[in-house]
Amino acid sequence: RYTGQPLAMALPASRDEVSALVRLCAAEGIAIVPQGGNTSTCGAATPDGSGRQLIIGLRRMQRVRHIDAANQSITVDAGCTLAQVQQAAAGVGRLFPLSLASEGSCQIGGNLSTNAGGLAVLRYGTMRELTLGLEVVLPDGTLLDALSALRKDTTGLDVKQLFIGAEGQLGLITGATLKLFALPTAYSTALLAVDCAEDAIATLNALQARFGDRLTTFEMISEPCQRISERHKRGCMPIFAPWALLVELSDGGEPAALQASFEQWLGSQAFHDGVLAQSEAERASLWQLREDISDMQK
């Protein structure tokens, strides 16, 4: 959709190098286009055709600066990929819940700049809710260090919220302190068929009433998406319906207890078709179906 011609591309390795670059560009009147994982889903990451805009990519800034398992927080460079942050959190028995199909290449700076929501937004919220603090280089090169990991911060304005979702308009994010959560030990996943969007909404409300915040994912897959997926990967779709709902519950405790509770609830409903994952392999196949949709559409 968008093409451009940059002046050049700079790849700084530290926040100080970013600050120096921004100061230079401010002095020379050169516009800046911050670029994260370059996944081609954010138009603001593409320069215009003037040849006077400098791309600043943060791919060399991939340091996990600090993990505090007790406070359930992690501080990282903005160039860290989402997958790197997820893995670092899992390494200390914690969960960073943002999950996207592009998590192997998208970067935390881009996730923040687009206020990414992802597949677990029902339970954990968007990046606005997942962020404790930010480090930002302002348009004159000044460094704003607001990386506090304090959760009950009741003082003054929440300045970091200006930069989340701003797509680089107000400053260039170089670091972030993010919330971590307890790592779930139980999952229950299903693909359910409904006839219309109204039935899907009724199902969502019923699930929330029964399971509360254990409902982690609720994705609607339209029949055209189902048919496209089946055309390009034959046998991948276990059901076809006007709408297929990918539903996942997560919790602590024993997996069997959550699965039994979900099975009991499903038995009380009137779905005319559906699949309930009976193993981790079946759960993974349902998630792969969802992850493949973007590629199938392309």
Side-chain angles (χ1 to χ4, degrees), residues 10-35:
L11 300 172
S14 69
R15 68 182 191 181
D16 292 337
E17 291 186 1
V18 174
S19 180
L21 275 168
V22 174
R23 283 198 304 272
L24 177 62
C25 289
E28 298 295 332
I30 296 171
I32 292 170
V33 179
Q35 193 173 87

Side-chain angles (χ1 to χ4, degrees), residues 2-267:
Y2 309 106
T3 59
Q5 180 61 50
L7 171 67
M9 183 172 189
L11 300 172
S14 69
R15 68 182 191 181
D16 292 337
E17 291 186 1
V18 174
S19 180
L21 275 168
V22 174
R23 283 198 304 272
L24 177 62
C25 289
E28 298 295 332
I30 296 171
I32 292 170
V33 179
Q35 193 173 87
N38 201 21
T39 58
S40 299
T41 57
C42 176
T46 305
D48 64 20
S50 68
R52 287 284 296 169
Q53 294 186 338
L54 177 70
I55 293 176
I56 296 183
L58 302 184
R59 67 183 69 161
R60 294 175 65 209
M61 296 178 60
Q62 295 194 340
R63 185 164 55 99
V64 175
R65 302 185 192 180
H66 182 65
I67 301 180
D68 186 342
N71 187 52
Q72 302 205 101
S73 63
I74 184 171
T75 301
V76 300
D77 284 351
C80 285
T81 65
L82 175 53
Q84 285 177 302
V85 176
Q86 292 170 337
Q87 291 161 9
V92 294
R94 297 292 184 268
L95 170 75
F96 182 63
L98 184 69
S99 180
L100 307 170
S102 59
E103 58 197 28
S105 55
C106 68
Q107 295 173 8
I108 290 297
N111 298 151
L112 288 159
S113 293
T114 57
N115 188 30
L119 301 173
V121 70
L122 277 177
R123 181 168 186 172
Y124 299 103
T126 68
M127 282 297 282
R128 290 192 187 280
E129 287 74 41
L130 296 175
T131 305
L132 292 169
L134 285 185
E135 177 185 85
V136 184
V137 174
L138 301 179
D140 64 351
T142 302
L143 182 69
L144 171 66
D145 187 343
L147 285 174
S148 170
L150 180 65
R151 288 173 177 268
K152 190 178 180 181
D153 187 349
T154 61
T155 60
L157 297 171
D158 191 359
V159 176
K160 69 177 183 292
Q161 294 295 346
L162 290 172
F163 304 97
I164 300 174
E167 297 193 10
Q169 295 178 85
L170 304 178
L172 204 160
I173 296 170
T174 54
T177 301
L178 307 169
K179 295 178 183 177
L180 302 180
F181 297 83
L183 198 62
T185 56
Y187 295 94
S188 190
T189 310
L191 191 69
L192 307 173
V194 295
D195 291 326
C196 60
E198 289 77 13
D199 288 349
I201 294 168
T203 301
L204 171 62
N205 291 335
L207 281 163
Q208 288 176 322
R210 173 64 182 84
F211 296 103
D213 66 2
R214 287 180 291 175
L215 177 61
T216 306
T217 299
F218 188 91
E219 295 270 307
M220 297 173 62
I221 304 172
S222 68
E223 187 168 6
C225 279
Q226 298 164 34
R227 298 294 177 185
I228 289 171
S229 296
E230 180 68 17
R231 183 191 316 156
H232 291 283
K233 193 174 182 180
R234 191 162 302 280
C236 72
M237 286 299 308
I239 63 172
F240 291 95
W243 292 96
L245 309 180
L246 178 60
V247 175
E248 181 162 278
L249 309 178
S250 64
D251 202 358
E254 288 297 321
L258 182 63
Q259 186 83 342
S261 182
F262 195 22
E263 286 179 359
Q264 183 181 29
W265 181 85
L266 288 170

